Amino acid sequence: MDVSGISHVLEHNVTINEIDFLGFRVTNASLNECVQYIDQTIENKGIIQIVPINANKLYQCRINQKLANIIREAALVVPEYAVVWGAKKIGRPLTEHIGGIMLMRKLLEESRKKDYRFYFLGAKEDIISGMVDSLPRSEEHTSELQSH
């Protein structure tokens, strides 16, 4: 799969570029472009799966086909630092390091302007609870963060 230099206009008129990195599509866009895509998906009442990808996940995909499929089917595969570094080394530079935490913080910031609600699913209950508890939020937005 060679998607380097390929861009496509998603259903809401946001152009997202992607590259092929070790057999996976990786989003080649800025943090703001990703937030714009997510925002338009929310406005259109759509569903989106976003997967941050790092070196460990790429390694795990070698033995975990289910994880590999989840990554391949995600609408946005946002690069953590090691993927940005690796892509540059193989001559397919990415726009910027986005990462899951950076994206989440930006979305939480946007939630103060819009009616975003967040629901976190996965991992062990204490891990998810700890993560939700550590997220910055104002008192009036506490009810918008839920987990299972």
Side-chain angles (χ1 to χ4, degrees):
M1 160 180 52
D2 185 4
V3 294
S4 64
I6 301 237
S7 65
H8 59 279
V9 179
L10 300 170
E11 57 194 70
H12 359 25
N13 299 321
V14 176
T15 302
I16 295 291
N17 295 312
E18 298 173 329
I19 68 160
D20 171 65
F21 184 73
L22 303 178
F24 292 92
R25 290 179 304 105
V26 176
T27 302
N28 188 13
S30 70
L31 176 62
N32 288 333
E33 289 168 330
C34 289
V35 169
Q36 182 183 6
Y37 172 74
I38 294 164
D39 184 51
Q40 288 187 4
T41 300
I42 292 168
E43 285 179 14
N44 292 331
K45 302 200 184 314
I47 297 171
I48 183 173
Q49 184 171 12
I50 305 158
V51 177
I53 192 165
N54 58 29
N56 184 53
K57 278 188 191 156
L58 288 167
Y59 175 76
Q60 292 297 320
C61 285
R62 294 173 45 164
I63 56 173
N64 186 336
Q65 193 58 45
K66 187 174 182 179
L67 175 61
N69 289 338
I70 289 168
I71 294 169
R72 285 190 177 100
E73 293 171 8
L76 292 176
V77 179
V78 296
E80 297 281 355
Y81 179 77
V83 173
V84 174
W85 181 86
K88 183 177 179 181
K89 289 293 183 189
I90 64 170
R92 294 186 177 171
L94 291 161
T95 302
E96 66 184 15
H97 165 221
I98 298 172
I101 298 295
M102 294 167 62
L103 180 58
M104 191 67 227
R105 286 198 171 142
K106 185 72 171 173
L107 290 171
L108 284 166
E109 184 182 304
E110 290 295 313
S111 76
R112 290 177 175 86
K113 303 174 200 167
K114 302 180 180 201
D115 191 26
Y116 287 172
R117 302 203 185 281
F118 299 91
Y119 189 83
F120 301 93
L121 178 66
K124 294 179 181 174
E125 186 175 340
D126 60 328
I127 303 283
I128 293 292
S129 295
M131 191 239 356
V132 169
D133 290 343
S134 73
L135 291 171
R137 59 187 179 267
S138 61
E139 217 172 283
E140 66 269 17
H141 289 89
T142 301
S143 65
E144 296 177 0
L145 298 172
Q146 300 175 6
S147 65
H148 176 73

